Amino acid sequence: SPLLNDNNSLAVHAPVVKRRFRTPQRMNRTIKDATVRRYHYNNHQKLRRHLDDFVTAYNFGRRLETLKGLTPYEFIRKAWQTEPDRFILNPLHQMPGLNT
């Protein structure tokens, strides 16, 4: 999808973040504050890469009320340890890490 909106300025389209915001504008502002308002991107590929990195770090580091204060990673790890039959593959082997 294009990264320019109707005003020919950068529009941020990021993957779904697992945290629920009161309004979509709040999430959009959070992403913009961490990316396009802090850095200059020479091309859309660099912007997309930074957005992916930001959303991944946000999802791994943010403690969510809906998950009882756990990060998504901690929630999946806990579910794997308590109910491994619900999983086809070990989800901990599917998580991105240093070598991805």
Side-chain angles (χ1 to χ4, degrees):
S1 63
L3 292 172
L4 296 178
N5 63 17
D6 295 335
N7 301 329
N8 286 331
S9 61
L10 284 178
V12 178
H13 298 281
V16 175
V17 176
K18 294 177 181 164
R19 177 165 165 27
R20 289 186 186 178
F21 284 85
R22 295 178 195 260
T23 64
Q25 292 84 9
R26 177 67 184 103
M27 181 62 212
N28 197 29
R29 185 176 55 186
T30 298
I31 292 172
K32 283 183 178 181
D33 287 346
T35 57
V36 296
R37 290 189 182 141
R38 284 191 183 182
Y39 303 100
H40 172 75
Y41 302 95
N42 294 328
N43 56 48
H44 289 154
Q45 182 181 2
K46 288 183 180 182
L47 171 61
R48 286 186 181 126
R49 173 66 188 204
H50 192 212
L51 285 174
D52 284 342
D53 292 344
F54 171 77
V55 171
T56 299
Y58 187 89
N59 282 337
F60 272 81
R62 182 73 180 187
R63 296 191 178 278
L64 306 178
E65 288 179 33
T66 56
L67 301 179
K68 298 179 183 175
L70 299 174
T71 66
Y73 175 78
E74 291 170 337
F75 181 80
I76 291 170
R77 188 184 70 214
K78 184 178 178 182
W80 167 252
Q81 291 171 345
T82 57
E83 301 177 76
D85 296 339
R86 294 181 65 188
F87 297 86
I88 296 171
L89 299 172
N90 181 340
L92 305 181
H93 293 171
Q94 309 305 313
M95 300 289 183
L98 296 174
N99 297 318
T100 59

